[in-house]
Amino acid sequence: MKQLTRIRLINWHLFENTTITCQGTTYFIGVNGVGKSTVLDAIQFALIGGRRDVKFNQAAMSGSQRTLTSYVRGELGTEGQRYLRDDATAVVALEFRNPDESYFVHGAVIDAYQDGRSPDVTYFIVNEAPLDDAWFFRAEGQIFDSRAFRRHLEHFPLPSPTARANVFTRLEDYRFHLLNRLGQLKESFFAKIVKGLAFSPLTNIRDFVHAYLLDENLVDVDMLREQLETMRHFENLAADIRQRIEALDRIEALDQERHSQRRLRLINGYVSHHARSDAHLAELKRYRLELDEKQVDLSRCELQRDDLAERLEHARQAHFEAKVQLETDTTVLRKKALETEMAELESEQARLQGQETHLKQTLSQELADAQRLKQLLAEDGLGVPESLEHFLQEEDLSLVTGHVSRITNLQSDLQSLGNDYAAQAALVEVESKRLRHESETLQREIQQLRTGDRAASYEAAAPQSGRLRRVLRAELDLTADQVVPLYEVLHVPDEAWQDAVEGVLGRARFDLLVPLEQYEAAMNLYRRRRLDDDLHGVGLPDSERILAKAPSPHPDSLAAEVQTEHPAARAFVDLLLGKYIKCETPDALREHRTAVTRDCFVRRNYTNRHMNPRYYRRWFIGERATPRQIEQREERLEAIRQTLADTQDRHTALGDRLALTRDKVLLRPARA
């Protein structure tokens, strides 16, 4: 069963800050006026709520007309001082222990006013958590009023993931949840509590049972029996319907799976057929290209054969005529002519032999280049074309015609490889230009930073914020000190927390602070120029509202690591960082809802993640930001120099490969 373990009273009549511990059966014993009835009235109000149903001070049988206001303000009834308090806030809370040793707490926070207004009451129920004074006090001796308590408890981190807090302003909602929390009690519970605390001396047991224990209406047993039978009948019907619904759900799930599988089978079949069709078309195209090449080679060979046959026929005819003339004893003139022709033929033979030697040398060089190209393709992890393999397998260099044919067949493959290498060389050249441009920009920014100009890094990191700042200064006639980025007025004394502050603030570091009286004009100008000047993503904090409504930061929050003399910046930083509790290790993050560590592990809504170093390592806040930015840019410059060296090596290697592929194909007609 549930047991009452503690009663918490704050500003309740004479009890200013009291906790009463209960163990099993608890007795309240004391002389008149010591406060026994006051404690019972507090329990009655916490269990019942509302001012119309509660009957204060009935157990004392004194006829006193105590009210909720008189309890909260501490009515004394003396002439010199009627009340202990003026406007006051009181807390009445009851802590119960469940059979499973867990706890729940319920009660109310009441605001009473000296001008006679009706008190404001906020009810609450906290499940799976013991009583905690941090729910009610903003600081030692400073209690939350009902409105502030409602906001505070809704965001208060409870000790366990299953714990939850409910706050009610309507009495009916509070009673409904309280009856369920106490064990599914009936509405008559509230009337019995009032009767039990307002008893008279016990003289008649029967009257006591009827007056304080039984409800006013008698129980109709026959009607209850009929309702029980009807309820059992409907329970059987409900069980049968649930079984049918489960069967229908299984059938529906199977049908949906059948539809999805059928659709998947059709899609897979279509994709498979389409892929096979594309493969067949590609193979057919390749065969057609090979056929055309073979036909061209065949036509060329036929022309060469006809030419050789014609020349052979002429040679045979000349040989026959010379033989006839020799046999017929030709004249000396014919002999001289033949000698001259023989000399010309010998000269032609020498010339052809020279061409044969040059051709063999050229083919040898081609074979060496082909072997080198094969090695380079292996280094690049690319396959060797079949035509190149066939060309390399030729061993008899005397077959000049065959080698010319091999080189001709290589042209298309070499052209294709050359195009790929040319594309890679173009990409390398573009990347080199980009890196050189980035290097020039970094060198220029480093020079500006070393001369004290921080605008370079600001404009590079947040160009939209820089444009909006210039627009506001030009249009509203404001100085540079009146339109200032947030990071310029901040300082982080402890360097160990600089990364965490930079990372959590993120883009908010570039939000622009404007004078309070210029905020509306600045917002109107921002709204008009946002599209024309591409001003998206820039924050314009409402300093007036932030100063008026920003909550106080947690004393151990990340906001304590930031210093600033700018009031609006101080309030804005407290608003952004005031809930991030500082933790030394990632394990300590689990104790909080929102927290952060020095090494930039951040917890939001009970979820841990590590921030991106690309953003938090780029410092903008304080005097340490400029040396850090210079150091980061110099590191990037060194990385660019190394990358450019690697790019130059790659460009040289691609030049070697182009000389063996595309350039060789382009130069071949000139060699021929």
Side-chain angles (χ1 to χ4, degrees):
M1 62 179 293
K2 297 175 174 61
Q3 292 186 359
L4 177 64
T5 54
R6 282 194 288 177
I7 304 170
R8 189 72 170 97
L9 302 178
I10 304 173
N11 292 340
W12 183 260
H13 200 230
L14 300 179
F15 296 98
E16 291 188 357
N17 191 353
T18 303
T19 300
I20 300 173
T21 302
C22 302
Q23 295 181 357
T25 302
T26 302
Y27 297 93
F28 294 99
I29 303 173
V31 298
N32 291 339
V34 79
K36 301 184 297 298
S37 300
T38 302
V39 175
L40 294 178
D41 286 344
I43 296 173
Q44 180 185 183
F45 182 74
L47 288 172
I48 298 174
R51 296 180 292 278
R52 291 179 298 178
D53 299 329
V54 175
K55 296 180 181 180
F56 289 126
N57 206 27
Q58 294 299 305
M61 300 178 59
S62 62
S64 173
Q65 297 298 322
R66 292 185 182 176
T67 63
L68 185 59
T69 299
S70 68
Y71 267 126
V72 176
R73 294 187 59 199
E75 184 177 9
L76 300 175
T78 62
E79 295 182 359
Q81 184 181 8
R82 183 178 179 184
Y83 294 100
L84 284 173
R85 312 173 190 90
D86 296 330
D87 290 348
T89 299
V91 175
V92 177
L94 303 182
E95 179 190 79
F96 284 86
R97 184 173 63 240
N98 296 312
D100 60 358
E101 298 302 324
S102 62
Y103 292 86
F104 71 92
V105 184
H106 69 88
V109 178
I110 311 105
D111 295 334
Y113 310 98
Q114 61 178 342
D115 58 6
R117 286 180 290 164
S118 297
D120 293 329
V121 183
T122 296
Y123 303 96
F124 66 91
I125 299 177
V126 181
N127 297 311
E128 302 294 336
L131 184 64
D132 189 351
D133 276 359
W135 301 344
F136 313 115
F137 291 95
R138 69 173 71 248
E140 185 175 358
Q142 298 180 7
I143 190 171
F144 288 107
D145 59 21
S146 60
R147 293 185 179 179
F149 168 76
R150 183 165 57 250
R151 294 192 300 269
H152 172 68
L153 190 58
E154 287 176 349
H155 299 90
F156 187 84
L158 295 174
S160 66
T162 60
R164 65 183 185 279
N166 297 317
V167 183
F168 312 94
T169 55
R170 294 179 69 250
L171 177 61
E172 294 79 4
D173 297 337
Y174 173 66
R175 286 183 172 181
F176 174 77
H177 285 81
L178 181 58
L179 289 175
N180 290 334
R181 182 68 266 181
L182 291 174
Q184 304 293 330
L185 299 179
K186 298 181 180 179
E187 290 285 344
S188 60
F189 168 77
F190 302 113
K192 290 180 179 179
I193 288 294
V194 175
K195 290 180 180 181
L197 293 176
F199 62 85
S200 301
L202 183 60
T203 58
N204 189 305
I205 296 299
R206 182 179 182 85
D207 293 340
F208 173 79
V209 171
H210 280 282
Y212 298 106
L213 301 181
L214 296 180
D215 295 335
E216 295 180 358
N217 296 328
L218 296 177
V219 177
D220 189 345
V221 177
D222 294 334
M223 182 180 294
L224 289 177
R225 185 179 293 110
E226 292 176 0
Q227 291 178 352
L228 180 60
E229 293 297 330
T230 303
M231 183 188 69
R232 290 175 177 172
H233 173 68
F234 282 115
E235 285 180 347
N236 294 332
L237 289 178
D240 183 62
I241 291 173
R242 282 195 294 271
Q243 292 178 356
R244 294 183 181 182
I245 291 174
E246 292 175 356
L248 289 174
D249 289 341
R250 290 195 296 272
I251 292 173
E252 183 179 4
L254 291 174
D255 185 66
Q256 291 178 354
E257 183 178 2
R258 182 181 63 82
H259 280 292
S260 62
Q261 293 295 333
R262 182 175 181 273
R263 188 182 301 110
L264 182 62
R265 186 172 63 255
L266 293 175
I267 293 173
N268 290 339
Y270 170 78
V271 171
S272 175
H273 290 307
H274 193 273
R276 285 199 295 270
S277 175
D278 292 343
H280 291 325
L281 288 175
E283 187 175 5
L284 179 60
K285 184 177 180 180
R286 182 173 61 82
Y287 286 152
R288 286 178 176 174
L289 290 175
E290 291 180 357
L291 177 60
D292 293 339
E293 292 175 356
K294 296 297 184 182
Q295 289 178 347
V296 170
D297 293 339
L298 180 60
S299 300
R300 187 182 295 109
C301 291
E302 289 176 351
L303 291 175
Q304 292 178 356
R305 183 198 62 189
D306 295 338
D307 181 65
L308 291 175
E310 183 177 359
R311 291 172 63 183
L312 178 62
E313 184 64 26
H314 286 307
R316 287 177 177 175
Q317 184 66 30
H319 181 266
F320 177 76
E321 291 176 354
K323 186 177 181 179
V324 170
Q325 290 178 0
L326 182 61
E327 291 178 353
T328 57
D329 193 10
T330 58
T331 61
V332 176
L333 184 61
R334 183 59 180 167
K335 181 180 179 182
K336 291 181 178 181
L338 290 175
E339 290 176 350
T340 302
E341 184 176 357
M342 289 179 63
E344 292 177 354
L345 290 175
E346 289 175 354
S347 176
E348 179 67 15
Q349 181 181 6
R351 186 182 67 81
L352 290 176
Q353 289 176 349
Q355 288 184 352
E356 181 182 6
T357 302
H358 175 71
L359 180 58
K360 289 181 179 180
Q361 294 175 352
T362 302
L363 288 175
S364 299
Q365 183 62 40
E366 290 290 343
L367 285 172
D369 290 347
Q371 186 64 37
R372 173 62 178 161
L373 178 59
K374 180 179 179 180
Q375 295 175 356
L376 294 177
L377 290 175
E379 293 176 3
D380 296 340
L382 300 177
V384 179
E386 185 178 356
S387 57
L388 182 62
E389 287 285 1
H390 290 167
F391 181 73
L392 291 171
Q393 292 173 0
E394 184 61 52
E395 297 179 356
D396 189 2
L397 296 180
S398 63
L399 301 176
V400 177
T401 304
H403 280 288
V404 172
S405 177
R406 295 293 188 188
I407 295 174
T408 302
N409 292 336
L410 276 175
Q411 286 185 353
S412 61
D413 291 335
L414 294 178
Q415 184 67 39
S416 177
L417 291 172
N419 291 337
D420 292 340
Y421 286 128
Q424 295 180 29
L427 292 176
V428 170
E429 184 66 26
V430 170
E431 180 65 14
S432 299
K433 291 181 179 179
R434 185 189 68 79
L435 292 173
R436 284 192 291 270
H437 176 71
E438 183 181 356
S439 175
E440 294 172 358
T441 302
L442 290 173
Q443 290 175 351
R444 185 168 57 254
E445 291 177 357
I446 291 173
Q447 184 63 28
Q448 291 175 340
L449 289 170
R450 285 176 174 168
T451 58
D453 184 6
R454 299 178 63 184
S457 59
Y458 168 59
E459 292 289 343
Q464 293 85 3
S465 178
R467 285 199 294 272
L468 179 58
R469 187 186 187 191
R470 292 191 291 272
V471 169
L472 293 176
R473 291 186 58 190
E475 297 292 334
L476 301 181
D477 194 21
L478 299 175
T479 64
D481 294 334
Q482 290 177 309
V483 184
V484 58
L486 178 63
Y487 75 88
E488 288 190 359
V489 297
L490 303 182
H491 175 61
V492 181
D494 189 353
E495 184 177 355
W497 286 102
Q498 178 100 14
D499 284 344
V501 173
E502 298 273 356
V504 174
L505 286 178
R507 300 294 298 179
R509 294 174 293 181
F510 311 117
D511 291 353
L512 299 177
L513 300 172
V514 299
L516 303 181
E517 64 275 10
Q518 295 290 346
Y519 179 76
E520 292 185 1
M523 269 307 301
N524 292 332
L525 181 61
Y526 188 5
R527 186 166 54 251
R528 291 197 310 271
R529 300 286 293 273
R530 69 188 189 279
L531 298 179
D532 295 338
D533 294 333
D534 190 23
L535 301 178
H536 63 276
V538 186
L540 203 61
D542 189 350
S543 301
E544 181 179 1
R545 295 294 188 271
I546 293 173
L547 287 168
K549 298 184 178 183
S552 299
H554 194 281
D556 292 331
S557 68
L558 191 59
E561 296 297 329
V562 181
Q563 295 181 356
T564 178
E565 301 295 330
H566 197 292
R570 177 75 268 168
F572 191 38
V573 168
D574 291 343
L575 178 64
L576 296 178
L577 306 181
K579 295 182 180 180
Y580 287 86
I581 308 302
K582 296 182 296 182
C583 297
E584 295 299 328
T585 62
D587 293 337
L589 294 173
R590 300 192 64 187
E591 302 298 327
H592 308 281
R593 177 176 179 174
T594 305
V596 68
T597 64
R598 298 175 190 267
D599 51 358
C600 293
F601 275 94
V602 66
R603 183 177 181 88
R604 298 186 182 98
N605 296 325
Y606 303 112
T607 302
N608 295 351
R609 58 172 51 87
H610 189 260
M611 293 182 286
N612 192 338
R614 292 178 55 193
Y615 297 103
Y616 71 71
R617 293 194 64 211
R618 295 192 64 183
W619 290 358
F620 288 87
I621 299 173
E623 298 298 327
R624 290 190 296 270
T626 299
R628 169 61 72 88
Q629 292 185 12
I630 293 175
E631 179 184 353
Q632 291 175 344
R633 283 166 170 78
E634 289 176 345
E635 291 175 356
R636 178 57 183 161
L637 273 177
E638 183 59 30
I640 290 175
R641 292 190 187 98
Q642 184 62 38
T643 304
L644 282 174
D646 297 338
T647 303
Q648 184 61 38
D649 295 339
R650 179 59 181 165
H651 191 272
T652 302
L654 289 172
D656 296 338
R657 287 157 174 77
L658 285 173
L660 296 174
T661 54
R662 186 192 63 180
D663 296 343
K664 183 180 292 296
V665 174
L666 294 177
L667 291 174
R668 181 167 288 118
R671 291 179 181 177

